[in-house]
Amino acid sequence: MTIAARDVKFPVRQIKKNKFLPAALARPLGVIVTVVVLQVGFYSISWNQFFCGDSLYYLSRQTYNWSQVRANFLREDDVGQYRPLTYPVFTHVFYPLGDLNPRVYHWAGLVIHILISLAVFGFLRRLFVDSQVALAGYLFFALHCVAYFISYDMTFLADWLFAVFLLLMIACFLKFLQDRHPAFWVMTLVWFVLALLSKETAVMAPFVLLSLCMLQSRTAAECSAGLAGRSAPHLWRAVRDVAPFVSISVVYVLFVTKMKGRLYPELPTHPFHFSLAPSNLVKDHKFLFWAFNVDPRLPKEWVEGLSLLVYLPQIALAAWALLRLARDRQRRWIAGWLLFCAGALLFPVLFLVEPPYPHHLYMPLVALSGMIGLLFLRLPGERPLARRLLVALLCVNLAASYVTIWRFNERSWVAHGSKIARNVLTSLKRHHPTLPPHSVVHLTKTKEPNSIWYFDRHSLLQLFYRDASLSMRFEDIGEKLPPKNGPPIPNYFIYGLWEENLELLPDYWKGQSVELLDWALQGEVGEDRTQYYPQFDEFMTPNGRRVFQHALVRQGEKRNTVVTIAGTRLRIPLPFVEPGSWLHVGLASVNDIGDGFNAMLLIESQGQRKVLIDRYMESARMAADAGWIDYHLDLGRFAGSSNFLILVCDAGPWGRTEADWLAWSMLKIDKQKIR
């Protein structure tokens, strides 16, 4: 398929002689090593993220026997998709490597993206004679912001497989076009079938093959400098070569329609519902921004807004690059077919009611990377200024890509879902190190429309407590809470969800326990004036007093608390303490600055005081003090009346009171050791 330099109007040697391209691109190996290092730096930003709903989906649907595998090939999955190959691949290839460790899957995703990027370089090198031109496209693809999602654990397993099989399919088809050997045609067919079994978008792969045929349909004399394509198949030959693949796509669509009973879900609210409403196409404008590493969402904070300034030169340079591409007729023709290829791969998702997602651009980026490579083919009479602008475009593109990746890691749907799943699991494990069989965790009404997705229904509980009898219920989807006036249901736990955090709620059923938080606000406040404040009449607290109520988020959990500042002693009368009672109390530092403070909890019974908790907390320096520190204390020996609970916050040996705010949470008495 490669045109010899002597057959080309502008030989590759002439391009090198003119030194149009950056000198660094003359050393492919060095560029590739540098890009791989940058890939690790760019995409490792997500390594601390937990599993999201889609990754929990694969973890909970493993196929270990042939009957399960066969069933997946004969029916749609739980969300109305047909991707039967993903389940055995995950079960037998990836799960043995990662088990329940999310970081292993992040590493696997990055390695796969690195290998796919190298394969894209090979494809572009095949399409363009000059390796420097191919390297320009490789840089664009390898460090693109969209790859943040592909390298994000096994959430995008279907995209991994589709990308691998599509690139193998392209490689074999290009070899077939060159040698016309039937073995390569058969291999192309095999990879095509595997791609169809991995992701539905593969149904558009014949259009990719048609684009490849047309990119090779010009004679050597008509090709631009450095373009590959020794054979020149006519349109009828291209149609003949691609027709069998089109037939397979048609059969695939008929099979899926027959199996599902419809091609697209009929429910209008289903994310995969097909709609020709103009609003669908309007929202797809985001793909244009993502293609140039620009995140179209408005910033929420000034720091985020300041970082977006890098987008301005990126957009200007991208507009100039497109105009430059349109100046040459031959390049317009090649870019047109590359754009046709990208559009074909993106077409299946353009009319879905679900919002556009950046990862749908991953494989269309291969064709767009070819267009980037075209920019680096010099036009006759072009000035050196163009070279400088292209180098600037690459540099600004990398900066824009990193800014967008950072924003994705803060605000994208996968990162948001991962944070919620991690925070809920961490908080549940804090309250329930173990859960009895058939326990239920019920989440109250939230502002999260996809709350059930973050946990893949019951999967989060069942996987990490290793008990298939556990379940979750969601008021968001109409699963009503049990009646409050009825008897408490054993092992039925009710929590809230607040801005990515689990919310600890008061007891749902009255009489379960004795709540002391409200009582604490009415307690007797004592003060130690040897612990210095500028004034003692009014303090710099929300209510100007030593004791106040405050909602605090720590370690992914929101709790209502009573806060005491340094030099404060709060004495709370206790109700009658029944035999076998337990006191539940949680401590936390409101601020992570200062030299720390001493937290003490005492009980006063019959004139005698007994220390229950004595802990020095320094959250600014000690990680163990930066979260909720919970205690479950046996009050059996204090059964009876005339008891007082004393909450003490002391500034410590240095007497510095700055930021010494101690939050007391839970503060409840019941007959269970662990809630």
Side-chain angles (χ1 to χ4, degrees), residues 515-530:
E515 300 276 356
L516 302 177
L517 276 178
D518 291 337
W519 286 27
L521 294 174
Q522 308 301 322
E524 177 187 344
V525 179
E527 60 180 2
D528 180 1
R529 294 204 171 190
T530 64

Side-chain angles (χ1 to χ4, degrees), residues 49-69:
Q49 297 284 15
F50 190 62
F51 296 117
C52 70
D54 282 16
S55 46
L56 293 171
Y57 178 89
Y58 285 114
L59 284 167
S60 63
R61 289 164 178 80
Q62 300 182 52
T63 53
Y64 287 104
N65 54 62
W66 171 246
S67 61
Q68 293 174 322
V69 174

Side-chain angles (χ1 to χ4, degrees), residues 19 50 117 125 188 214 233 235 243 276 310 328 387 421 442 462 469 509 564 573 575 588 613 645:
K19 298 182 179 180
F50 190 62
S117 300
R125 181 66 179 83
T188 304
M214 299 309 296
L235 181 59
L276 292 174
V310 73
D328 180 70
R387 172 185 179 272
H442 200 145
Q462 294 177 354
S469 69
W509 289 284
T564 57
I613 300 173
L645 205 60

Side-chain angles (χ1 to χ4, degrees), residues 48-49 58 61 67 158 271 281 313 350 369 425-426 433 456 460 503 513 520 523 582 615 637 675:
N48 289 327
Q49 297 284 15
Y58 285 114
R61 289 164 178 80
S67 61
L281 289 177
L350 294 180
S369 299
L425 179 64
T426 302
D456 188 41
L460 183 73
E503 183 177 7
S513 61
W582 289 80
R615 182 187 181 106
R637 53 185 168 158
R675 204 171 166 272

Side-chain angles (χ1 to χ4, degrees), residues 512-558:
Q512 278 185 288
S513 61
V514 178
E515 300 276 356
L516 302 177
L517 276 178
D518 291 337
W519 286 27
L521 294 174
Q522 308 301 322
E524 177 187 344
V525 179
E527 60 180 2
D528 180 1
R529 294 204 171 190
T530 64
Q531 300 185 33
Y532 172 76
Y533 287 96
Q535 60 177 354
F536 291 94
D537 296 331
E538 185 174 1
F539 299 89
M540 297 180 65
T541 61
N543 63 356
R545 301 175 182 176
R546 286 182 173 271
V547 179
F548 57 92
Q549 198 168 24
H550 179 63
L552 182 64
V553 175
R554 283 289 186 180
Q555 291 180 327
E557 182 181 355
K558 178 189 177 185

Side-chain angles (χ1 to χ4, degrees), residues 296-313:
R297 295 173 299 177
L298 295 176
K300 289 186 175 181
E301 300 176 356
W302 71 268
V303 175
E304 189 180 11
L306 188 63
S307 67
L308 301 188
L309 293 178
V310 73
Y311 290 160
L312 298 180

